[in-house]
């Protein structure tokens, strides 16, 4: 285990002092606090402030991937995926998930655990209609988690 990358990794240190967390400064409603921190991340113009790691677990095997948060309303967090994707299948087998949002410029992360509830077909269709045309075409031409036979 004595290689240059390992040695560098072991010596990396960052002192996280930009933000502090005092429970007295937090909103008693976790949803409102998360909304406030999301807005701070958006305002800071950090890259992909809505990106989060979604973790699922099926048959004792964990899976994680980065997806994009697309809404937060009344304590419910929204993201969209193809139901036939790997994560869609995993969620259908176990609706308990964890998500982690990380905003390095703000030296803050948030962990959320809960159950997935499928969006209505209407909400899914409305979101899909709002996506850029190229994104819509890509989603249709290249289903998530499936091998693509060629770029053509």
């Amino acid at each position: 285990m004595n290689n240059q990358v390992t040695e560098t990794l072991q010596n990396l240190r960052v002192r996280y002092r930009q933000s502090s967390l005092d429970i007295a400064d937090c909103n008693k409603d976790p949803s409102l606090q998360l909304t406030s921190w999301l807005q701070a991340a958006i305002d800071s113009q950090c890259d992909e402030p809505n990106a989060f790691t979604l973790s699922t677990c099926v048959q004792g095997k964990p899976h994680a991937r980065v997806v994009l948060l697309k809404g937060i309303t009344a304590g419910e967090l929204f993201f969209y995926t193809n139901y036939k994707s790997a994560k869609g299948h995993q969620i259908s087998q176990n609706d308990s998930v964890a998500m982690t949002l990380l905003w390095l410029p703000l030296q803050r992360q948030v962990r959320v655990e809960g159950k997935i509830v499928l969006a209505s077909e209407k909400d899914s269709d409305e979101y899909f209609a709002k996506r850029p045309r190229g994104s819509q075409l890509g989603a249709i031409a290249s289903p998530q988690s499936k091998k693509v036979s060629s770029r053509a």
Side-chain angles (χ1 to χ4, degrees):
M1 196 166 99
N2 241 352
N3 65 48
Q4 186 176 358
V5 171
T6 298
E7 188 172 326
T8 300
L9 290 172
Q10 291 175 350
N11 290 312
L12 286 175
R13 299 280 186 273
V14 174
R15 291 180 181 247
Y16 294 102
R17 296 182 179 189
Q18 181 174 326
S19 299
S20 62
L21 180 62
D22 186 331
I23 196 72
D25 297 332
C26 292
N27 194 303
K28 291 182 182 185
D29 181 333
S31 177
L32 294 177
Q33 185 62 57
L34 177 57
T35 300
S36 173
W37 284 341
L38 275 163
Q39 189 60 57
I42 292 165
D43 292 345
S44 78
Q45 298 183 347
C46 66
D47 291 337
E48 303 285 1
N50 61 328
F52 68 94
T53 301
L54 174 69
S55 300
T56 55
C57 189
V58 177
Q59 296 177 347
K61 183 178 178 188
H63 304 271
R65 79 288 286 150
V66 176
V67 297
L68 299 177
L69 185 64
K70 291 299 181 178
I72 179 169
T73 305
E76 293 182 335
L77 307 174
F78 296 87
F79 72 94
Y80 297 90
T81 189
N82 182 327
Y83 295 155
K84 295 179 182 177
S85 68
K87 72 178 140 329
H89 287 295
Q90 292 158 7
I91 290 166
S92 72
Q93 293 177 47
N94 180 354
D95 62 355
S96 294
V97 300
M99 59 189 292
T100 306
L101 296 110
L102 174 64
W103 305 297
L104 285 174
L106 302 179
Q107 298 181 346
R108 173 162 284 136
Q109 75 173 351
V110 174
R111 213 178 76 218
V112 179
E113 298 172 353
K115 299 270 186 190
I116 293 281
V117 177
L118 296 182
S120 70
E121 189 173 329
K122 177 182 178 251
D123 287 344
S124 294
D125 289 346
E126 285 176 3
Y127 169 73
F128 189 82
K130 291 178 185 175
R131 293 177 70 178
R133 185 71 175 148
S135 178
Q136 291 172 339
L137 294 174
I140 293 167
S142 176
Q144 291 180 8
S145 307
K146 302 290 182 203
K147 288 185 179 181
V148 177
S149 59
S150 74
R151 290 186 66 80

